[in-house]
Amino acid sequence: MKYKGWLLPPALRDFHEGRIWLKEHTTFSKGDIEKSINHKYFHIIEGIQKEPHLKCNRCHNDNLQLFTTFACSKCQQQCIYCRHCLNMGRVSSCTQLMIWTGPRAMRTRKHSLKWAGEFTVLQQQAANEMLESVKAKRSHLIHAVCGAGKTELLFPTVHYALQQGLRVCIATPRTDVVLELYPRFQTVFPQTMIHALYGGSPKQEGYAQLVLATTHQLYRFERAFDIMIVDEADAFPYTFDETLQSAVQKAKTENAPIMLVTATPSQKLLTQYQNKSYSFIPKRYHNRPLPVPRFHSLWSYEKSLKRGKIPRKLKQWTEERLARKEPFLLFFPKVELMKIATPLFQLLDANIMAVHAEDPQRKEKVLKLRHEEVPGLLTTTILERGITIKNVQVAVIGAESTIFTSSALIQIAGRVGRNANFTDGDVVFFHHGITTEMDDARTKILYYNKKGFS
Amino acid sequence: MNKIETLCLLCSQPLQSAISWKILLTKQFQPTICDRCSARFEHSPTATALYQYNDAMKDYLHQYKFLQDVALAKVFRQELHARFKLEKAAIIPIPMHPLKQRERTFSHMEELLKAANIPFIQLLEKTTTATQSSKNREQRIQAASLFRLMAKAHVEHKEYLLFDDIKTTGTTLRHATEVLLNAGAKNVKIFTLING
Ligand SMILES: [Zn+2]
Ligand SMILES: [Zn+2]
Ligand SMILES: [Zn+2]
């Protein structure tokens, strides 16, 4: 075969640059892929590495529990595959991964920032500090309370980086957040090619210099980004899953700084950054203090609900919200308990609905609450972050449960009073005993208010 | 394939690892999925299938066959073992076309039996690579036989049991049954994992 006259299709280069991709999953023609390989435009590695220890070369999983060995009909051998990143297409001993090493995609330095908003003094300061860190190629932690307006903070840094011809990624653990950020960034950076990547996202053309992705999608990148911004850096499953953290490392270039943005940094993150490059915004953008949670005992609530009765104080609280037409969220520690409670609450108002993680109508139900079509939602912790509903009031049922960590409780409290016209509201932790996590959440919120208004 | 699972194969939640005397005395296998995932499957009321088709089963088949998660062959091993351990008929899993099997990298029906520690034989081979689901009802019913006897296969005058994953129109099982009966089988029973 002669390769004379073959021209690298730009689309192939644009797609594969920065990606680590299963060879059998490429959407480009076999001929073009083979020719690219012959031109040494791809570095090919085995899917599963056996030495020095078993490791998936895509997601870097090395937990033996998450590998399975079987007699493979394709390679006719004992084959090992990774179960950790299975839903992105199976990586096994007899599959190969391709990493682009060919000519680089065209990047542009022409990017405009179309944003007419104004920063508060604290926002401005944090935005400046972050920009300084990026210029110095230094990682940075932004600690901003819920409702501080952290997305806008990113605009100057992202704009600067794009104008330098750098490739930028904003990663977040949650698809909801990617979907919310995408249109906002498209409006603010109208000249910039932006891709939004999440499980099931549509195919997007061209080379994106700005990529918004779930942390999970980072498994598919390798040494791709010059700036890595991680939003909600503390959120599940990021804190739980070490391979996701290594995915962040893997997806960025060696010297690329990481910008972490969170409302509830772990002690570990704080110690790591506090004295170096750290910005703290203890105040909301509308300059009103954070609503402080109150504790209310609700003894044996579980028994009571199982007997078909809403505990008196909880019933009162709900009826008060209904009477005052205030939208509300009731957080439950377990789906099972929530399911038992749902019909009981529907006796108070037939339109009350429940939503949980696997609920296919999750988005619609949240929209209904926002549009005042339902008076309130029963929910598990999935709605603890990201959602903003005008004048919402929240109650946690069983705040002593282990699932309600201090961070989760701070995020839940952070749903209230975000709107500039409704800056206050009720946050009540109904409990069967006060835990240190509850105390910690309240202490931190009081501390932020003290810091912000001293 | 023989390792002990510490995480639920379907939802990755940690499995209660306590090996109770009850499990040791009455059960052959360690559980591989949690109680919550297990409760999502619906048992079949018929004697010729284990489960009903529902959302949980749809997810399972997607992960097992489409995402090629061979590990999931173990999920039903206890139930399959219980159903087949006293079976007198010779068990024949519905075969895949060799090309199709290479593509999937495993035979999903054979793996289910292997995981359940149930011996089986093979006498049939698939004649076409086309899948049943890619044809319409008419095409399925009128198609030439989907199976033929393997070269040198010896069908005895005895009872056989055909094992398939799901029974929809029954065409697959009907074709396989005919081939065996024509070759001298005394009787052919069928059993499926899922009632279509
Ligand atoms: Zn992997
Ligand atoms: Zn193989
Ligand atoms: Zn499970």
Side-chain angles (χ1 to χ4, degrees):
Chain A
M1 205 188 284
K2 280 187 184 165
Y3 304 120
K4 250 187 205 160
W6 176 72
L7 281 176
L8 167 67
L12 192 155
R13 173 200 65 200
D14 291 352
F15 179 82
H16 280 288
E17 188 195 306
R19 280 186 161 99
I20 176 165
W21 207 255
L22 266 176
K23 193 176 166 202
E24 53 199 85
H25 270 210
T26 180
T27 51
F28 296 94
S29 81
K30 244 194 178 140
D32 283 335
I33 292 290
E34 287 309 322
K35 281 170 198 143
S36 302
I37 293 172
N38 286 328
H39 275 78
K40 304 229 173 344
Y41 289 172
F42 278 116
H43 176 52
I44 308 277
I45 58 170
E46 53 186 349
I48 305 286
Q49 166 194 310
K50 283 191 186 136
E51 301 295 336
H53 65 280
L54 199 58
K55 189 175 109 181
C56 169
N57 275 330
R58 181 171 60 192
C59 75
H60 288 195
N61 162 42
D62 59 0
N63 175 357
L64 290 179
Q65 267 297 315
L66 295 173
F67 289 99
T68 291
T69 308
F70 72 108
C72 178
S73 306
K74 186 176 138 210
C75 63
Q76 306 287 333
Q77 286 179 18
Q78 286 298 104
C79 203
I80 303 171
Y81 71 95
C82 172
R83 296 192 71 239
H84 186 261
C85 60
L86 183 80
N87 57 11
M88 304 183 132
R90 196 182 70 175
V91 175
S92 69
S93 310
C94 62
T95 53
Q96 292 179 316
L97 295 162
M98 312 191 293
I99 302 164
W100 186 252
T101 51
R104 298 231 295 180
M106 308 288 204
R107 296 184 181 184
T108 162
R109 289 167 189 260
K110 272 195 216 139
H111 299 272
S112 56
L113 172 62
K114 234 179 81 188
W115 184 63
E118 250 179 70
F119 282 141
T120 64
V121 177
L122 285 171
Q123 277 180 316
Q124 187 67 60
Q125 194 188 333
N128 293 347
E129 286 165 355
M130 174 154 69
L131 189 57
E132 283 315 305
S133 286
V134 163
K135 286 180 179 168
K137 290 199 171 15
R138 182 174 63 212
S139 294
H140 193 101
L141 173 65
I142 302 254
H143 177 187
V145 297
C146 301
K150 55 192 168 71
T151 306
E152 298 88 80
L153 283 186
L154 308 178
F155 296 160
T157 293
V158 171
H159 189 217
Y160 166 82
L162 291 171
Q163 283 185 316
Q164 298 297 304
L166 301 175
R167 197 176 195 192
V168 182
C169 176
I170 304 175
T172 165
R174 302 175 43 137
T175 302
D176 301 356
V177 180
V178 174
L179 291 172
E180 193 196 302
L181 292 182
Y182 187 42
R184 280 180 80 181
F185 276 88
Q186 279 180 313
T187 315
V188 173
F189 295 101
Q191 276 182 296
T192 308
M193 169 83 79
I194 309 176
H195 283 178
L197 305 176
Y198 47 91
S201 58
K203 191 167 187 262
Q204 293 156 74
E205 303 290 331
Y207 177 80
Q209 217 175 307
L210 175 58
V211 171
L212 312 179
T214 57
T215 31
H216 205 74
Q217 293 297 318
L218 297 181
Y219 292 146
R220 292 176 147 163
F221 287 91
E222 192 148 313
R223 271 174 257 159
F225 303 108
D226 308 300
I227 311 277
M228 183 62 111
I229 300 170
V230 185
D231 189 25
E232 305 265 3
D234 59 297
F236 176 86
Y238 187 74
T239 37
F240 284 61
D241 195 335
E242 278 185 20
T243 55
L244 277 176
Q245 299 189 39
S246 87
V248 168
Q249 292 293 341
K250 182 183 82 115
K252 70 181 197 64
T253 60
E254 211 173 327
N255 296 318
I258 305 177
M259 307 283 120
L260 298 166
V261 189
T262 173
T264 46
S266 64
Q267 196 49 51
K268 199 175 148 202
L269 278 185
L270 282 175
T271 350
Q272 199 181 334
Y273 286 94
Q274 217 156 21
N275 299 319
K276 285 186 285 178
S277 38
Y278 171 71
S279 308
F280 179 39
I281 310 182
K283 222 196 267 192
R284 288 183 154 176
Y285 75 96
H286 56 45
N287 268 320
R288 300 293 309 150
L290 296 160
V292 180
R294 46 192 192 95
F295 296 171
H296 225 315
S297 62
L298 198 68
W299 309 115
S300 312
Y301 60 89
E302 193 162 350
K303 261 192 214 157
S304 172
L305 288 169
K306 283 181 177 162
R307 275 201 312 263
K309 205 170 154 256
I310 304 175
R312 190 175 48 84
K313 283 184 236 168
L314 175 56
K315 194 172 164 202
Q316 257 171 18
W317 188 87
T318 314
E319 284 171 338
E320 214 175 294
R321 306 283 83 77
L322 289 168
R324 293 163 68 158
K325 297 209 181 326
E326 292 167 345
F328 62 89
L329 289 168
L330 288 174
F331 286 88
F332 284 82
K334 286 179 289 190
V335 197
E336 290 84 359
L337 189 65
M338 182 176 86
K339 283 188 177 160
I340 293 170
T342 308
L344 307 177
F345 280 92
Q346 285 169 340
L347 290 178
L348 302 180
D349 186 309
N351 291 323
I352 292 176
M353 289 203 260
V355 57
H356 60 96
E358 279 115 56
D359 193 335
Q361 285 173 26
R362 182 168 142 187
K363 248 194 247 160
E364 288 81 356
K365 286 178 179 173
V366 173
L367 277 179
K368 279 191 171 151
L369 183 66
R370 190 170 291 159
H371 298 149
E372 294 167 17
E373 289 161 34
V374 300
L377 287 180
L378 279 54
T379 175
T380 53
T381 53
I382 50 140
L383 295 187
E384 80 187 27
R385 44 181 94 223
I387 74 155
T388 301
I389 285 155
K390 194 176 71 190
N391 199 25
V392 75
Q393 317 285 309
V394 309
V396 177
I397 290 127
E400 79 290 347
S401 308
T402 47
I403 191 159
F404 294 121
T405 58
S406 148
S407 307
L409 291 169
I410 291 172
Q411 293 283 358
I412 287 171
R415 297 309 102 211
V416 178
R418 295 167 82 100
N419 190 291
N421 298 319
F422 300 90
T423 59
D424 208 359
D426 198 16
V427 183
V428 54
F429 294 170
F430 288 113
H431 64 83
H432 183 96
I434 296 170
T435 61
T436 49
E437 296 291 320
M438 291 164 65
D439 266 334
D440 186 55
R442 201 178 125 92
T443 308
K444 278 188 177 142
I445 291 170
L446 287 168
Y447 170 77
Y448 297 153
N449 282 343
K450 200 176 135 208
K451 278 275 162 188
F453 295 90
S454 60
Chain B
M1 286 296 286
N2 291 322
K3 74 174 197 279
I4 291 180
E5 303 296 338
T6 56
L7 305 176
C8 170
L9 285 175
L10 297 177
C11 72
S12 303
Q13 292 302 304
L15 289 171
Q16 253 90 42
S17 57
I19 304 172
S20 69
W21 280 109
K22 203 180 151 213
I23 285 188
L24 281 178
L25 292 173
T26 61
K27 290 197 174 178
Q28 223 96 7
F29 301 102
Q30 288 286 315
T32 60
I33 60 171
C34 69
D35 293 345
R36 199 144 134 195
C37 288
S38 175
R40 291 184 63 214
F41 294 107
E42 195 182 339
H43 283 277
S44 164
T46 67
T48 53
L50 275 183
Y51 294 97
Q52 292 295 103
Y53 190 74
N54 64 4
D55 282 346
M57 199 46 94
K58 190 175 150 198
D59 296 347
Y60 170 84
L61 289 177
H62 176 79
Q63 191 170 334
Y64 183 41
K65 291 167 70 173
F66 182 75
L67 295 178
Q68 305 168 296
D69 196 1
V70 203
L72 298 196
K74 298 202 282 191
V75 168
F76 302 117
R77 61 185 178 180
Q78 184 60 50
E79 291 76 5
L80 285 171
H81 185 84
R83 167 60 185 80
F84 285 139
K85 67 180 174 199
L86 299 175
E87 181 58 54
K88 295 217 175 58
I91 298 169
I92 302 177
I94 290 292
M96 288 171 89
H97 192 278
L99 286 178
K100 188 85 191 158
Q101 183 167 333
R102 276 240 316 264
E103 198 182 299
R104 182 168 292 151
T105 72
F106 61 97
S107 155
H108 58 284
M109 296 315 297
E110 287 183 14
E111 292 298 329
L112 285 172
L113 291 171
K114 281 189 212 163
N117 226 340
I118 296 296
F120 59 88
I121 58 166
Q122 193 52 273
L123 300 172
L124 303 171
E125 59 189 23
K126 196 87 185 276
T127 55
T128 159
T129 52
T131 57
Q132 283 301 294
S133 50
S134 66
K135 299 178 194 160
N136 65 32
R137 196 184 153 83
E138 209 131 302
Q139 284 171 321
R140 264 185 267 185
I141 289 167
Q142 289 173 355
S145 187
L146 297 164
F147 302 95
R148 62 170 166 249
L149 281 187
M150 287 165 67
K152 290 182 196 157
H154 179 60
V155 179
E156 295 173 60
H157 185 66
K158 65 174 195 182
E159 186 166 57
Y160 291 94
L161 184 146
L162 285 167
F163 178 48
D164 203 0
D165 53 355
I166 186 161
K167 187 181 170 190
T168 35
T169 59
T171 312
T172 305
L173 288 162
R174 190 164 50 77
H175 282 195
T177 303
E178 277 165 13
V179 174
L180 289 172
L181 287 176
N182 290 341
K186 185 172 145 202
N187 181 28
V188 179
K189 298 195 289 188
I190 56 167
F191 189 81
T192 57
L193 179 69
I194 308 151
N195 212 356

